[in-house]
Amino acid sequence: MESSEHRLPEHPPRGTRPGRPERQAPGGRAARRGSRTASAAPLGARAALRLSFARRAVLAVLLAGCAALSAGCAVRVPPTPRITITPASGTTAAPPEAGLVVRAEGGRLTSVLAFAGRDPVPGAFDSSHTVWRSSWTLRPGTQYVVDAVAIGAEGVTSQAAGGFRTLRPRREVAVASVAPYDGETVGIGMPIIVTFTRPVEDRAAVERALEVRGPAEGAWHWPGPAQVVYRPRRMWPANTKVRFTAHLAGVRAGPATYGVADRSVAFTVGRAMVSTVDTRAHQMAVRQDGVVAQRMPISAGMATTREYTTSSGTHLTMDKGNPVRMVSPGRHEGDPGYYDKLIGYAVRISNSGEYVHAMDNTWAQGRTNVSHGCVNVRPDQARWFYDHALRGDPVVVTGTSRRLEWNNGWGYWQLSWPRWLAGSALRGDGQAEPSSGTGPGRATVTSSPPSERGRTSSVP
């Protein structure tokens, strides 16, 4: 028996139909398929080439973007403000008159702290906040420390700190005395009188350092090289406050001469009390804030000599004592006209020995002038005047042939405002007005401290 094999049917090649033989003919479909297969390789190569070009273009774009991105993201440090402190840190003999200056370049100063020892140094910025200056000169022989902060245009801050020492002067000048006293209540005509320990050569430098804070315009006047006086243009308004400060520390007052300390005085201007003395009518009227408070019959100088003539003009009350010893000027015991008396309730109004004081000669008061130059009133009225008078109260005398000299006591109101300004080192020629003196034989009485009051030479 023949064996037979079971065979799976063969699948025709792809692209042929089963049961139908492939036709083979020259130039037929098979040949054309072969040609398409043969051309597949060149088409794939061109696609790959095109892909390569695209990838290169994308890569170039990415590289260019990366470069641009890298350039735009570069870290740039903004400039830092530069701070300069003058005097430079470490200086050991800085000139005090130059002051302290802090500058910022490329930014604005936001903070400056300076100390002289433990004391803060006052100062101010300019309008642009690029410069800070101390308000006044620096204290000689003193260690200073400074700390400053500045900020730039882009918010970057910088800080600088330093320290220096000012020079120690060979010669020193200081304020010896000031009138009025600190805390004193004074009259509306009161000047500020500053006396120095030595003559001042550079008056302009010292005058610049003198500060008056008050309710009225005023100016300084130099009666001499060691004294300067401040007077308002018009009398002080009543019931006001005034503060005087001499920023003298560090001021160069002359060659190798410096101020070593500041001095400050605060005082109050009290009620307006003005007295008018009419020597021809023999009357004195005292007004307080414009209202007559007292009318007093008086007896003034007999005017037989210049010495015995009461001076006319605007006096100021200077001090007072009860009693005051009054001795005849230029005379000795036994000489004609000699006297040595204790006079009660005496208020001084000049340096040439003129007072408003008590005298029990009511027969003359209101009728005739018989004194040696003073203005005398009844004892009870003299006591009232003594009790109510403040230093700097105006006493205006009229009716005599002698004029009060501007430098006789506190006769400063005798000068017109232009003449007063002429005695300023900053607003005039800085020269003292020529003095006309106090007259031959007339006693010259200088202002004395409280401990010495009550002993003076004068004429009752």
Side-chain angles (χ1 to χ4, degrees), residues 29-49:
R29 292 171 59 186
R32 289 196 298 270
R33 188 183 303 119
S35 77
R36 285 199 300 269
T37 304
S39 65
L43 287 173
R46 287 196 297 272
L49 185 60

Side-chain angles (χ1 to χ4, degrees), residues 61 108 173 183 186 199 207 228 239 277 320 354 443:
V61 171
R108 299 171 70 253
V173 63
V186 300
E207 191 172 322
V228 65
N239 306 309
V277 178
K320 55 188 178 181
E354 294 170 294

